[in-house]
Amino acid sequence: RSTIDRSTPVKIMSGVQSMSAGMWHSLILKKDGSLWTCGFNGSGQLGDGTITNRGIPKQVMSSVQSMSAGMGHSMILKKDGSLWVFGFNYYSQLGDGTNTTRLFPKQVMNSVQSMSAGGVYSLILKKDGTLWACGYNKNGQLGDGTTTDRSIPVKVMSGVQNMAAGGDLHEGHSLILRTDGTFWTCGCNRDGQLGDGTTNDR
């Protein structure tokens, strides 16, 4: 419940399966499928229906399989394959067709295998191996061949087995692993993070 910085780990919960750290908020998945959130909540990224910061974890969902925290938005995959989102949505990173901030979880897709929340954009891998992306796209991080922001997920590639989204508010890059073992990258490349030998955005 405190706001005291810690230089050594402190135990806060038991029975935890996985977790994801956003810029200022935390998502915690327990072994029983319950999702708990804590931290900064100015954009509703904790999904509890408020903009109240939480110093101790609060349960917000059940039957959860995995989750991913972005800079100010949260993506939740339920065990039935449905994708739910909440939080900051100025760049339409929630993929719900709006730029409206969501304080409660909202379903946006089905048949999802996994997802990755970038700073202000999102990558979604469906069970059929197709990769979808939405949100901020100034650096081409959505991989759709444009620099146009997308308010609903747009299909980017097929034959994908894994992906990862990175970046902060104004930059972002994406890593994509295809089922044939080839590795692909797109987005901001200012520091050579795409690994293509240049500093050119892709």
Side-chain angles (χ1 to χ4, degrees):
R1 187 184 295 274
S2 76
T3 54
I4 300 170
D5 293 348
R6 304 286 185 179
S7 60
T8 58
V10 57
K11 180 179 178 180
I12 58 167
M13 296 182 79
S14 298
V16 173
Q17 175 176 310
S18 62
M19 64 279 145
S20 182
M23 184 168 285
W24 299 298
H25 74 292
S26 301
L27 306 179
I28 304 159
L29 177 60
K30 297 194 75 173
K31 292 178 180 177
D32 63 3
S34 60
L35 177 70
W36 300 67
T37 62
C38 59
F40 181 68
N41 197 28
S43 299
Q45 55 263 63
L46 301 188
D48 64 356
T50 76
I51 53 171
T52 302
N53 298 343
R54 301 286 179 187
I56 56 174
K58 178 179 180 179
Q59 183 178 350
V60 294
M61 296 181 77
S62 58
S63 299
V64 172
Q65 176 176 311
S66 62
M67 71 279 156
S68 182
M71 188 188 78
H73 72 292
S74 302
M75 306 179 73
I76 313 300
L77 177 60
K78 298 197 77 173
K79 292 179 179 179
D80 64 1
S82 60
L83 178 65
W84 299 70
V85 294
F86 47 86
F88 186 54
N89 197 30
Y90 183 82
Y91 296 100
S92 300
Q93 59 265 48
L94 299 186
D96 65 352
T98 77
N99 61 357
T100 303
T101 291
R102 302 288 178 185
L103 306 186
F104 289 103
K106 179 180 176 64
Q107 184 178 350
V108 292
M109 293 184 84
N110 288 305
S111 299
V112 173
Q113 177 177 311
S114 61
M115 68 280 155
S116 183
V120 285
Y121 77 105
S122 301
L123 299 180
I124 303 159
L125 177 59
K126 299 197 73 175
K127 292 180 179 179
D128 63 2
T130 57
L131 178 65
W132 301 69
C134 59
Y136 189 66
N137 196 29
K138 180 180 179 181
N139 305 110
Q141 55 263 58
L142 301 190
D144 66 349
T146 78
T147 54
T148 302
D149 295 350
R150 302 293 183 179
S151 63
I152 58 174
V154 58
K155 183 178 176 181
V156 178
M157 295 180 81
S158 298
V160 174
Q161 65 171 304
N162 204 355
M163 79 289 160
D168 56 20
L169 181 60
H170 297 295
E171 296 179 352
H173 71 290
S174 302
L175 310 179
I176 303 162
L177 175 63
R178 303 194 72 178
T179 52
D180 63 3
T182 56
F183 183 54
W184 301 65
T185 60
C186 59
C188 181
N189 199 27
R190 184 184 64 183
D191 299 303
Q193 55 263 56
L194 300 188
D196 66 350
T198 77
T199 53
N200 300 322
D201 292 353
R202 299 290 183 183

